[in-house]
Amino acid sequence: MAKKVLLLNPPGKKLYIRDYYCSKVSKSNYLFHPIDLLMPSGMLAERYETFLIDAIAQRLTQSECLAMIDIISPDVIISLIGAVSFKEDMEYLKGLAKEGRQIIVSGDAAMEEPAAWLNEHQFIDAVILDFASKEIAQFLTGELKGLSSIVHRNDDWASYRRPVNEEFSITVPKHELFAGIPYRFPFVKHRRFSTVLTAYGCPFKCSFCIIGTLGYRYRTVDNVMEELRYIKKLGTKEVFFYDQTFGINRKRCLEICNRIKGYGFGFGWVCFSRVDVLDEEFLKNMATSGCHTIIFGVESASSEILKKYQKGYTKEQIRETFGLCKKYNIRTVATFIIGLPEETWQTASETIEFLKEIDCDFASFNVAVPRNNTGLKKEAINTGLIDSQLETMDQTGSEIAMPTKFLSKEDVLSLKKKAVKDFYLRPKYLLKRLKSITSVYELKEQIYEGISMFRGL
């Protein structure tokens, strides 16, 4: 009989997003496919009887989720965990432990010293350090030698190797496992959307971000096209490319754009990128292949803060790229971080004014969190802004993890709320948003997201 494997996003008290080693509470009501579970799903389904429970997206209580787990009776549970929900997650997973069952976790809470972390949590059998690795299936077969991306009991995690510019391919994820679950993302234009990852990690070294510590590798273009053909047959209308920076490998990403056009998929799509990797030719190709929205990490209007936290680009580059996006009718989402250690009332106010100047279509405001294994955490500990034992944190501001050198936690929260209100409650902006809506679906989603966002304040 085939081993039963359950992919689990455990229940929680809030709308937690736990994936990609970067957990948080949803700022409004969005929740896209958990990439840590999606990426290995095809590989696992080839060998094992594979199930999915997304208790967050399915709005399951702890008891409802437990009842479903009991019916499946899995031999292996691969579960998301998050620093944002750490105590809840540990308590729930401990209750699922039983003899003969393996519990494997993926999430930011275990990334810093996974071997030591495992020793503290004896009911957990392994920690996944790379959810795109084929070694997950290898571990389940009992082949423990040479593993470099999954840490298990009595293992030496020092063997973990962070890849640099490596090409790889995966078994096409089992997207149908995730069908019918009410995932939603405010920047897609159709409810039938799929999440696709074409590259893992990031080569940039922003000191507040954990993704830059994961290394960087990218899938072959043929492998990406295989997945896009697959989701097209499943009825996908929109794609969220979850690469942390689409466009790093210019030649490869232009080929993806050209082949999307050549295959006639007809997808609309959304991605993350950086203002210093996209030029006019690139943006034109993205637009003609269906890209309608790009999410950029602007972070701050302070040149000093951008430089200190190693963003690697200037305010002028931000202005130029946002202007080009407008030229090619690509919507822009600007993400901002309020509360980095150097933040003052003046720098935060400058940031709020700057986002109005660049005239982005959407803005996403986060508070600084000292994530495990980042330079920001080391700085925050060394300057006394946080205790080294800090475990629970949330970038959306449901809890403020730390003050700055000049602002209290209360100040940081007030600035975050002010930023949201100052940007979204402008009559000119509201009129612009209404004029840009092209479908009843978009109208409903924008209203729903807006209500949820302000309710969260």
Side-chain angles (χ1 to χ4, degrees):
M1 178 181 288
K3 184 180 288 186
K4 291 183 179 180
V5 176
L6 171 64
L7 303 172
L8 175 66
N9 189 9
K13 296 176 182 176
K14 298 178 181 179
L15 196 62
Y16 296 127
I17 298 174
R18 298 183 175 102
D19 63 326
Y20 218 144
Y21 310 115
C22 192
S23 63
K24 50 191 169 287
V25 175
S26 175
K27 283 192 283 289
S28 49
N29 194 51
Y30 65 86
L31 191 72
F32 39 81
H33 314 80
I35 202 69
D36 304 41
L37 304 181
L38 177 65
M39 283 292 280
S41 62
M43 168 187 63
L44 293 169
E46 279 187 327
R47 303 189 185 192
Y48 309 108
E49 197 175 354
T50 305
F51 303 84
L52 169 73
I53 297 176
D54 190 335
I56 296 294
Q58 293 169 283
R59 304 295 202 272
L60 301 177
T61 64
Q62 289 191 354
S63 58
E64 289 170 339
C65 183
L66 182 59
M68 293 178 68
I69 294 172
D70 286 342
I71 291 171
I72 295 169
S73 189
D75 303 293
V76 180
I77 296 176
I78 298 177
S79 178
L80 302 183
I81 60 171
V84 70
S85 53
F86 182 68
K87 292 181 180 179
E88 288 180 60
D89 298 346
M90 291 300 98
E91 182 180 337
Y92 195 74
L93 291 179
K94 190 172 184 178
L96 300 181
K98 59 190 294 188
E99 188 174 350
R101 173 182 287 171
Q102 289 180 304
I103 297 182
I104 304 169
V105 299
S106 180
D108 51 4
M111 287 294 286
E112 195 157 70
E113 295 183 3
W117 188 89
L118 274 175
N119 286 331
E120 292 177 12
H121 303 91
Q122 290 291 319
F123 57 94
I124 305 293
D125 294 284
V127 174
I128 295 170
L129 302 179
D130 179 348
F131 55 75
S133 172
K134 295 178 180 178
E135 292 183 354
I136 299 170
Q138 180 183 335
F139 174 77
L140 294 183
T141 64
E143 302 173 43
L144 305 183
K145 288 186 178 181
L147 297 177
S148 63
S149 60
I150 184 166
V151 177
H152 55 89
R153 188 77 56 214
N154 300 319
D155 188 21
D156 179 10
W157 85 289
S159 63
Y160 174 47
R161 186 180 62 84
R162 292 168 176 81
V164 179
N165 290 325
E166 292 183 0
E167 192 173 59
F168 74 106
S169 61
I170 62 169
T171 304
V172 171
K174 205 75 171 171
H175 285 270
E176 57 265 46
L177 280 176
F178 300 79
I181 297 176
Y183 296 109
R184 45 198 322 144
F185 193 44
F187 309 127
V188 297
K189 295 187 174 185
H190 198 284
R191 64 180 180 83
R192 300 190 72 169
F193 79 100
S194 297
T195 301
V196 173
L197 189 77
T198 87
Y200 172 85
C202 181
F204 294 98
K205 302 299 179 184
C206 308
S207 62
F208 51 79
C209 180
I210 192 172
I211 308 298
T213 71
L214 303 178
Y216 175 69
R217 56 198 187 104
Y218 49 89
R219 293 168 61 187
T220 67
V221 176
D222 285 344
N223 189 227
V224 174
M225 291 302 115
E226 183 184 6
E227 183 172 359
L228 294 183
R229 287 194 295 269
Y230 186 78
I231 61 175
K232 178 68 175 179
K233 290 179 180 178
L234 294 177
T236 293
K237 302 293 185 183
E238 291 260 325
V239 178
F240 170 34
F241 285 116
Y242 201 5
D243 301 21
Q244 290 302 293
T245 308
F246 188 87
I248 291 173
N249 185 320
R250 179 186 177 89
K251 181 179 178 182
R252 170 184 172 274
C253 291
L254 281 172
E255 185 179 352
I256 288 174
C257 291
N258 289 330
R259 289 177 69 173
I260 287 174
K261 287 185 283 186
Y263 281 116
F265 288 129
F267 294 137
W269 55 279
V270 183
C271 69
F272 287 102
S273 194
R274 285 171 55 104
V275 298
D276 55 348
V277 302
L278 303 180
D279 58 21
E280 184 163 6
E281 179 192 0
F282 206 151
L283 286 165
K284 183 178 180 180
N285 272 275
M286 291 172 70
T288 56
S289 67
C291 177
H292 55 69
T293 306
I294 304 176
I295 307 166
F296 293 102
V298 174
E299 317 309 5
S300 177
S302 165
S303 297
E304 291 74 20
I305 288 177
L306 290 175
K307 183 177 180 180
K308 177 176 174 58
Y309 295 99
Q310 302 176 49
K311 283 306 298 182
Y313 49 68
T314 65
K315 288 174 67 175
E316 186 52 43
Q317 286 175 297
I318 296 169
R319 291 187 182 99
E320 181 180 353
T321 302
F322 274 66
L324 287 171
C325 286
K326 191 177 295 294
K327 178 178 179 179
Y328 291 103
N329 295 314
I330 298 174
R331 300 185 305 181
T332 51
V333 185
T335 68
F336 294 89
I337 298 176
I338 294 172
L340 289 164
E342 306 300 321
E343 191 84 271
T344 65
W345 274 99
Q346 181 178 348
T347 59
S349 298
E350 288 174 359
T351 296
I352 295 170
E353 291 307 308
F354 184 60
L355 67 94
K356 297 176 187 176
E357 176 194 334
I358 60 177
D359 195 27
C360 53
D361 294 284
F362 304 92
S364 176
F365 300 97
N366 304 295
V367 298
V369 291
R371 296 197 180 280
N372 287 340
N373 218 28
T374 62
L376 176 58
K377 182 176 181 180
K378 294 173 184 174
E379 178 189 3
I381 292 172
N382 291 338
T383 54
L385 295 177
I386 64 166
D387 185 274
S388 61
Q389 302 304 309
L390 177 69
E391 288 183 325
T392 303
M393 57 190 82
D394 175 27
Q395 71 183 46
T396 58
S398 62
E399 294 182 37
I400 306 298
M402 63 180 187
T404 79
K405 295 175 183 177
F406 309 100
L407 301 171
S408 67
K409 290 182 180 181
E410 291 74 22
D411 290 337
V412 172
L413 180 60
S414 295
L415 281 166
K416 193 252 184 180
K417 291 181 177 180
K418 172 178 169 56
V420 174
K421 293 174 181 177
D422 282 6
F423 180 77
Y424 280 107
L425 293 184
R426 293 172 293 149
K428 181 179 177 181
Y429 173 80
L430 293 172
L431 182 61
K432 172 186 170 183
R433 276 269 52 76
L434 285 172
K435 286 182 176 180
S436 70
I437 291 171
T438 59
S439 69
V440 174
Y441 171 80
E442 266 195 278
L443 177 62
K444 289 180 178 178
E445 286 298 297
Q446 295 298 325
I447 292 174
Y448 195 27
E449 289 294 320
I451 292 172
S452 299
M453 179 174 62
F454 281 99
R455 185 181 294 157
L457 295 180

